[in-house]
């Protein structure tokens, strides 16, 4: 028999090698580029640098960021995930204005930016971020006071250019277009985000999705001020917003006024609403004022069956509502009165509610609660699709 010749990675075609290298992390890719000239050329292929996750790289510094940007990151970059030094012992400035400008120039197709534990107080405005961004996600970050204000110049030269261009626009009678192209803004556990930041978002011309998760300083009055409503000059506020999420899930003993109560004044054009945690209860009471609402999501909360049925009665006036979804919801069954005490007012209340045929049987077992609740909601909202994902029933203690 003929002897088999030894085979190594050099015999594989480049498309197979690129598939193998795509399973490596960024740090492993950099190390693989030091093997030989061929691997160095393959590692710099932009197909490997479309989705870059640097959150797992321990010891990340601004010097490493500059090296990655000069040697590897390029026009193929679509999504970038970074971990800042806010919780690090070393501290220091992580993202500089010069690096962000270089990122905008070298990566013109970057559409999603995720920042984790980043201290952004050294940046005067979000206008320094790449203009190609469509999605901006901030988690556990610190923000300056005017970070979302797009009217502030980022430097003296840019300020002079902005004033001159504004004069030219004013003389021609046309309004200046928005410089921020972000369509989706996700804020998760950002303690410094407050009503003033929310008010700054009203000047964004393309913002259609806003997620406020564990933003404790946003109040009902602040949300009511930014809601889309008819004003003297037409529709005012966040009138381009189609999706809004408000959730408080992590903080214990949260006693401030719920932000979702600001929905009671109505919101023009809002089609999707997601409520989570402690914002579900007050948000359900105000959801009936959202005349354009089409989809409602309730998640990560505990609800009683009577609370759901009574709230859904108020939603019957929303003709456009066609989807109601429960996600990670714990349902509390109705408490039955002890024996010998059920002859008074409780019995009469139980007789009044089933008159419409849209309540849940009080004697249903825990395993029958969700099917009974589904049937009751189907009667209340016949044109609405109901979905229950990862839901459970709380068992009553004896």
């Amino acid at each position: 028999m003929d002897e088999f010749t030894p085979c190594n990675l050099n015999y594989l075609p480049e498309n197979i090698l690129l598939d193998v290298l795509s399973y490596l992390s960024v740090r492993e890719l950099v190390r693989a580029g030091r093997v030989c000239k061929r691997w160095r050329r393959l590692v710099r292929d932009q197909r490997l640098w479309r989705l870059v996750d640097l959150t797992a790289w321990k010891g990340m510094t601004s010097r490493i960021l500059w090296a990655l940007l000069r040697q590897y990151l390029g026009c193929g970059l679509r999504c970038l995930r970074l971990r800042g030094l806010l919780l690090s012992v070393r501290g220091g400035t992580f993202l500089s204005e010069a690096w962000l400008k270089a990122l905008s120039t070298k990566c013109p197709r970057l559409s999603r930016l995720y920042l984790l534990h980043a201290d952004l107080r050294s940046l005067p405005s979000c206008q320094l971020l790449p203009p190609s961004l469509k999605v901006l996600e901030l988690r556990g970050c610190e923000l300056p006071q005017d970070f979302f204000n797009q009217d502030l110049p980022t430097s003296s030269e840019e300020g002079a250019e902005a004033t001159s261009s504004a004069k030219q626009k004013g003389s021609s009678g046309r309004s200046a277009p928005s410089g921020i192209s972000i369509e989706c803004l996700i804020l998760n556990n950002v303690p410094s985000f407050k009503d003033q930041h929310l008010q700054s978002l009203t000047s964004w011309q393309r913002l259609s999705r806003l997620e406020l998760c564990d933003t404790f300083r946003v109040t009902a009055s602040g949300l009511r001020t930014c809601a889309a409503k008819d004003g003297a000059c037409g529709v005012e506020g966040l009138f381009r917003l189609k999706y809004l999420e408000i959730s408080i899930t992590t903080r214990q003993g949260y006693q401030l006024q719920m932000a979702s109560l600001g929905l009671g004044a109505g919101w023009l054009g809002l089609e999707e609403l997601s409520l989570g945690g402690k914002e579900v209860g007050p948000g359900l009471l105000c959801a009936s004022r959202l005349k354009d609402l089409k989809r409602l999501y309730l998640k990560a909360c505990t609800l009683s069956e009577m609370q759901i049925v009574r709230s859904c009665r108020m939603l019957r006036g929303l003709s456009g509502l066609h989807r109601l979804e429960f996600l990670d919801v714990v349902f509390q069954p109705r408490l039955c009165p002890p024996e010998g005490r059920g002859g008074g007012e409780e019995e009469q209340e139980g007789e009044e509610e089933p008159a419409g045929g849209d309540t849940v049987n009080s004697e249903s077992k825990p395993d029958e609660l969700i099917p009974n609740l589904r049937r009751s909601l189907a009667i209340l909202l016949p044109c609405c699709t109901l979905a229950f994902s990862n839901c459970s029933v709380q068992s009553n203690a004896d």
Side-chain angles (χ1 to χ4, degrees), residues 355-371:
D358 52 8
T359 56
V360 185
N361 186 7
S362 60
E363 297 180 358
S364 60
K365 298 179 181 179
D367 55 347
E368 299 176 355
L369 189 147
I370 295 181

Side-chain angles (χ1 to χ4, degrees), residues 20 231 285 395:
V20 175
L285 299 176
S395 59

